Amino acid sequence: MPPSVPYRGRIAPTPTGFLHLGHARTFSLAAERCRQAAGTLILRIEDLDTQRCKKHFAEAALEDLKSIGIAWHEGPDLGGPCSPYVQSENAAYFLEIWKRLKDAGAIYPCRRSRKDVAAAARAPHAEDEDAEPIFPPEWRPSDPDFGKDFADPGDYNWRFRVPDGEIITFCDAIQGPQNFVAGKDFGDFVVWRRDGVPAYELAVVADDIRMGITEVVRGADLLKSTARQILIYRALGATPPVWAHAPLILDENGKRLAKRSDALSVRTLLARGIKI
Ligand code: GLU
């Protein structure tokens, strides 16, 4: 048997607020799976949305993670071979990935706003609380080379041209077999925002590739995003990691804890002497 690739896992908070119980559970699971595999755990701060992300929340995230006993091997505080570990410090790299996707004909510039899409589209499934309106396929440029001559993203949203009707399948290490239909469960999604910020789907794949991540552990709310991200891996000619989506914590009414405005922060719980 060939020697297996050493495990590299990551925890990747977005510092838009204090970490809550849902984060604590997902990140603890990520740390535990990494420990069991005798792997390397990376801490990455996903702060590309500078409007919503705040430095003090990033600092608080590091403190809170340490308070609940999570330790990492590489990160903004420790450094490591994959520096920078803070996404906002790596604009040139994300631009390089934008260029690769553009040159491959996988993405195109688009002037339609979220509002336009919401007004025109139907939601994929009413019962799906993450349902994002589907970008109408008739708005997609028919010329597969449209946008290839751009030297930079300019003042446009850039969308990924999804293969309508293709079933994207993967076997999740926790949730089991998954499948999503491109064009039905999700449509052409934004990878680059017209305000010059790489969108989550591009940034997360770009950094997971750059950091050599072998397993992604995150919340089950991102299962559909994984299907989108598999398409980005394919367009970049890269191998996706193993996926492991942690169950979400729900409140007594079945509502996702993270969605509640009063979701208790890790620091509040610790201050009240509650063991997490
Ligand atoms: N930064 C994302 C979040 O805090 C996590 C993304 C991921 O793990 O892929 O929700």
Side-chain angles (χ1 to χ4, degrees):
M1 274 215 334
S4 60
V5 180
Y7 183 108
R8 284 176 68 80
R10 53 41 161 206
I11 45 186
T14 300
T16 50
F18 291 117
L19 299 186
H20 57 69
L21 208 52
H23 295 117
R25 183 150 105 171
T26 303
F27 294 155
S28 299
L29 181 67
E32 179 55 21
R33 288 180 71 92
C34 185
R35 198 189 57 77
Q36 279 174 9
T40 301
L41 189 64
I42 288 134
L43 174 69
R44 181 172 77 221
I45 300 293
E46 303 207 320
D47 62 345
L48 284 170
D49 188 339
T50 48
Q51 296 281 312
R52 296 176 58 232
C53 295
K54 302 286 171 242
K55 200 166 176 3
H56 69 274
F57 287 133
E59 286 160 4
L62 265 68
E63 279 169 25
D64 291 347
L65 289 166
K66 285 180 194 156
S67 305
I68 58 172
I70 295 180
W72 49 94
H73 306 96
E74 299 173 23
D77 53 338
L78 301 174
C82 296
S83 237
Y85 293 91
V86 176
Q87 288 189 325
S88 62
E89 294 172 7
N90 211 9
Y93 172 65
F94 296 118
L95 200 54
E96 196 185 300
I97 298 294
W98 165 82
K99 190 170 181 313
R100 281 177 55 191
L101 291 171
K102 188 237 348 163
D103 290 346
I107 60 176
Y108 60 86
C110 174
R111 283 267 189 224
R112 306 281 186 174
S113 66
R114 256 172 198 273
K115 252 194 182 158
D116 296 335
V117 178
R122 62 265 168 212
H125 296 296
E127 73 276 12
D128 179 353
E129 62 172 302
D130 290 324
E132 217 186 80
I134 304 278
F135 183 82
E138 57 276 19
W139 288 357
R140 176 193 295 153
S142 52
D143 176 3
D145 290 331
F146 185 75
K148 271 194 179 172
D149 55 342
F150 277 59
D152 59 64
D155 181 20
Y156 289 89
N157 288 315
W158 285 74
R159 289 183 180 271
F160 194 98
R161 189 187 283 277
V162 308
D164 283 342
E166 183 179 331
I167 304 171
I168 315 297
T169 58
F170 58 98
C171 191
D172 188 86
I174 298 171
Q175 310 285 337
Q178 302 292 317
N179 56 73
F180 294 95
V181 182
K184 182 162 170 275
D185 291 317
F186 60 90
D188 287 7
F189 53 94
V190 174
V191 293
W192 195 276
R193 292 174 13 185
R194 58 182 303 185
D195 58 0
V197 179
Y200 160 70
E201 310 287 9
L202 180 149
V204 80
V205 170
D207 260 352
D208 285 339
I209 292 173
R210 185 176 68 85
M211 295 180 173
I213 301 301
T214 60
E215 179 175 271
V216 164
V217 182
R218 60 184 173 203
D221 52 328
L222 289 169
L223 277 165
K224 197 192 288 180
S225 270
T226 294
R228 297 185 185 104
Q229 290 170 25
I230 286 171
L231 294 175
I232 301 181
Y233 276 91
R234 190 162 81 187
L236 293 169
T239 307
V242 173
W243 309 101
H245 288 81
L248 303 174
I249 303 188
L250 304 178
D251 71 6
E252 63 282 8
N253 301 315
K255 186 167 180 195
R256 199 191 308 164
L257 203 61
K259 292 256 171 184
R260 284 176 53 154
S261 53
D262 62 345
L264 285 180
S265 69
V266 166
R267 50 186 49 207
T268 305
L269 292 168
L270 291 176
R272 289 189 189 165
I274 296 166
K275 202 168 161 349
I276 298 179

